Amino acid sequence: MAAPVTRPQREWSTPSVDDAATSDLIRHLKCPPAIASLLVSRGIAGAQAADLFLHPTLDHLHDPLQMLGMVEAVARIQQAVRLAEPILIYGDYDVDGTTATVLLKTAIERIATKDKPAQVTWHVPHRIREGYGMQTNILGQAADTGVRLVISVDTGIRAFAAAAEARLLGLDLIVTDHHLPDDAAGVPEALAVINPAQEGCPYPFKFLCGAGVAFKLAHALLAAAAETTAQRDRLNQVILPSFLKLVAIATIADSVPLVGENRVIAALGLRELRNPIQPGLRALMEVAKLPLDTAPTATEVGFRLAPRINAAGRMDVADDVIELFLTRDPARAKELAEKLDGLNQDRRATEAEALATIELQLEKLRTNDEFPAECIILDDASWHRGVLGILASRVVDRTGRPALIVMHEDGQAHGSGRSVAGFHLLDALTTVDTKAAGGLFTRFGGHAHAVGFSLPSALLEGLRIGMKVHTETALTLGVLRPALAADGELALPEITPDLYTWLGRCGPFGNAHPEPVFISRGVILAAPVRYIKEKHICLELAQGDSSRRINALGWSRMIDWPAQCAQLNLQEGSVIHIAYRINENKHEHYGGLQLELLDLQPA
């Protein structure tokens, strides 16, 4: 996709922090001042809070029995296992749904006895043939095969028709989900609904992903089956940490807020991903070119593991992912991992082809180098349904606006949307649907940042009009051009390996706990601007009397860095202010700490 235009200068902000609290943390932790300031600004003040934050353990996870519906769900699954009743796990085709399916299937099989193994099958819908959500015909097929208990994972909170069909078929339904319920309709009528976001659920943390909710059910089942001290010790020391590997991958991939319990899950799960034993995980890390002797970072999971897992559901069938994570055969694991890697390459090619068309559509929308202050809605019959969410993310990066990307098939428009901070996309769709006579959508769901939907193609224009009206008041200038929120100011000599190590301890970073951003003022361009592939830049920077140099890289995604440098007439000796993240180039010959530019201004 072509580089975006130069944007108007943004305001920069840094938080006000309590100096006394910061000083206390510096003394207690013996950490750099920037780390203490970062922790205090993010609500982690005091020695006890900092110690808990920096040393997450299993003890920091909440009791799953606090979740509404958990007791009833556990009892029904125990009964099914005891009676060897066939159980169907109804999942979803993305990272969250497939890992949740694997987790729950594994847990149910673990609580069974060797002489009476659990009868657990799964169904993951085909993205194109079935679409998102539980389908009544699949429930009918399950009932015909003798299934009497269906458990949904990462889906079902709005499956009212499926729940009604389950009752007619004599199926007990347990819904486990994390998506937001319908405020007006409530939750489906089922034997149990497990979702911390539902009204009346006392569970203290509301932002688990689907696999996180499934893990809670798995934890409750396994804990109930652990009758001796030795069994409980094994559960806490071996089994639960092992489960957290997949939960961490799903938590990171699903972009749920990486705070509270989610951060504990991600931190512990990433740690367990060092040298995994399960053949599928090992094979997947190998094709993703991740070292097996080192715990991956959240960024590596998000950009190297998750896309390969998602590629199965996007381009083919997600059953391959479940088999990958269940197989004990290294040869089969290698075969499946390589297949996922190939599908990911196909996905990238399909995405690139669609992006070329999207770029042409965006150029038609832009006026005076600005995109309209509204939700961008683009459609094309040729786009692959499996990459719509990725395309929406690319458009958000390109324009700074929320985006809905739509394809057409057999008179139906299928879409996926992504949003910007401060604009609740699911609320927007709900409002537009409510105000339209007779409604617009055949189905829709999601959360603030991401949605999926379908509607008759003939109603797409109504969606455009409704979103335009809604965004006239909801999409403010503060949302479209937010200030750059930095975590503090640093002098370049303060950027040391010790600081970088401490930053790593404050991770993993993600949604709601973003990678820290810093500002350095009055830095000097110590060499001419170096251009990378004509669209990215590398600045060699110095500050004050220090002879040390550090590179700052500007990757042209939302900012056209070459145009920015030309506009500011940057040359050797120019003095600028910069906003950036700190990262590390791991190249064996010219590696070291470097900066990722987010913005720059003339001094």
Side-chain angles (χ1 to χ4, degrees), residues 148-173:
R148 286 297 171 263
L149 174 61
V150 177
I151 310 169
S152 77
V153 291
D154 191 35
T155 188
I157 197 62
R158 298 188 177 211
F160 299 100
E165 182 69 11
R167 289 196 303 276
L168 289 174
L169 293 168
L171 298 174
D172 285 334
L173 174 64

Side-chain angles (χ1 to χ4, degrees), residues 93-268:
Y93 41 66
D94 64 359
V95 176
D96 201 13
T98 51
T99 54
T101 301
V102 172
L103 288 164
L104 193 54
K105 182 178 188 297
T106 303
I108 293 173
E109 290 173 342
R110 276 186 173 274
I111 67 170
T113 59
K114 290 183 179 180
D115 61 323
K116 191 182 287 187
Q119 307 298 310
V120 186
T121 57
W122 77 82
H123 177 78
V124 176
H126 190 285
R127 181 187 290 265
I128 296 175
R129 290 197 296 266
E130 297 176 52
Y132 175 78
M134 301 177 68
Q135 304 295 316
T136 56
N137 65 309
I138 301 299
L139 296 180
Q141 294 170 20
D144 289 343
T145 64
V147 168
R148 286 297 171 263
L149 174 61
V150 177
I151 310 169
S152 77
V153 291
D154 191 35
T155 188
I157 197 62
R158 298 188 177 211
F160 299 100
E165 182 69 11
R167 289 196 303 276
L168 289 174
L169 293 168
L171 298 174
D172 285 334
L173 174 64
I174 296 172
V175 172
T176 79
D177 201 355
H178 73 117
H179 295 99
L180 297 178
D182 186 316
D183 288 340
V187 300
E189 186 178 336
L191 184 145
V193 175
I194 302 174
N195 183 338
Q198 68 178 306
E199 185 177 356
C201 180
Y203 195 77
F205 188 75
K206 304 297 185 181
F207 308 109
L208 294 168
C209 68
V213 178
F215 169 73
K216 288 295 171 179
L217 177 53
H219 185 179
L221 287 167
L222 294 167
E227 298 177 345
T228 67
T229 300
Q231 290 173 338
R232 287 189 288 271
D233 288 345
R234 177 171 169 74
L235 173 65
N236 293 321
Q237 295 170 15
V238 179
I239 298 174
L240 292 180
S242 178
F243 273 43
L244 286 175
K245 294 194 290 289
L246 290 185
V247 191
I249 292 173
T251 298
I252 293 164
D254 215 54
S255 294
V256 289
L258 213 55
V259 297
E261 195 169 33
N262 281 341
R263 182 179 174 275
V264 175
I265 288 169
L268 297 180

Side-chain angles (χ1 to χ4, degrees), residues 151-483:
I151 310 169
S152 77
V153 291
D154 191 35
T155 188
I157 197 62
R158 298 188 177 211
F160 299 100
E165 182 69 11
R167 289 196 303 276
L168 289 174
L169 293 168
L171 298 174
D172 285 334
L173 174 64
I174 296 172
V175 172
T176 79
D177 201 355
H178 73 117
H179 295 99
L180 297 178
D182 186 316
D183 288 340
V187 300
E189 186 178 336
L191 184 145
V193 175
I194 302 174
N195 183 338
Q198 68 178 306
E199 185 177 356
C201 180
Y203 195 77
F205 188 75
K206 304 297 185 181
F207 308 109
L208 294 168
C209 68
V213 178
F215 169 73
K216 288 295 171 179
L217 177 53
H219 185 179
L221 287 167
L222 294 167
E227 298 177 345
T228 67
T229 300
Q231 290 173 338
R232 287 189 288 271
D233 288 345
R234 177 171 169 74
L235 173 65
N236 293 321
Q237 295 170 15
V238 179
I239 298 174
L240 292 180
S242 178
F243 273 43
L244 286 175
K245 294 194 290 289
L246 290 185
V247 191
I249 292 173
T251 298
I252 293 164
D254 215 54
S255 294
V256 289
L258 213 55
V259 297
E261 195 169 33
N262 281 341
R263 182 179 174 275
V264 175
I265 288 169
L268 297 180
L270 288 173
R271 186 187 306 164
E272 294 295 321
L273 279 168
R274 180 191 291 112
N275 199 23
I277 296 173
Q278 198 271 330
L281 262 179
R282 288 184 69 85
L284 188 67
M285 291 179 68
E286 286 173 345
V287 299
K289 295 180 171 55
L290 291 175
L292 293 174
D293 58 349
T294 304
T297 65
T299 299
E300 288 171 330
V301 167
F303 287 93
R304 313 233 337 234
L305 290 183
R308 287 169 170 84
I309 300 171
N310 265 332
R314 293 185 188 282
M315 309 303 293
D316 193 28
V317 290
D319 283 340
D320 287 335
V321 174
I322 297 174
E323 184 183 352
L324 175 73
F325 290 141
L326 290 175
T327 185
R328 298 181 181 180
D329 180 357
R332 179 59 175 158
K334 184 174 186 293
E335 178 185 351
L336 288 167
E338 289 175 348
K339 180 180 179 181
L340 296 188
D341 190 52
L343 289 172
N344 191 51
Q345 294 178 36
D346 293 344
R347 185 272 305 171
R348 294 176 65 178
T350 301
E351 176 189 336
E353 184 178 349
L355 285 173
T357 306
I358 283 175
E359 181 60 34
L360 296 175
Q361 293 193 22
L362 289 178
E363 284 303 311
K364 294 178 181 178
L365 292 176
R366 194 164 66 182
T367 304
N368 297 325
D369 287 340
E370 281 286 342
F371 293 102
E374 59 189 48
C375 179
I376 304 291
I377 303 178
L378 305 177
D379 70 301
D380 190 295
S382 67
W383 292 338
H384 193 291
R385 200 190 304 182
V387 300
L388 296 180
I390 299 174
L391 296 177
S393 294
R394 298 290 184 266
V395 173
V396 172
D397 288 345
R398 173 77 168 85
T399 65
R401 272 75 172 140
L404 303 179
I405 305 299
V406 180
M407 63 84 65
H408 300 273
E409 186 176 48
D410 299 329
Q412 284 287 308
H414 303 279
S416 187
R418 298 295 183 269
S419 195
V420 296
F423 184 79
H424 198 298
L425 196 51
L426 181 60
D427 282 356
L429 293 193
T430 302
T431 299
V432 171
D433 186 64
T434 301
K435 290 184 176 180
L440 288 174
F441 298 108
T442 308
R443 64 177 61 186
F444 72 102
H447 46 78
H449 183 72
V451 296
F453 58 90
S454 63
L455 71 165
S457 293
L459 298 182
L460 182 59
E461 186 59 27
L463 175 60
R464 293 184 194 276
I465 294 170
M467 287 297 289
K468 185 176 179 63
V469 171
H470 180 74
T471 53
E472 285 177 354
T473 55
L475 204 55
T476 63
L477 183 62
V479 172
L480 292 175
R481 191 170 295 147

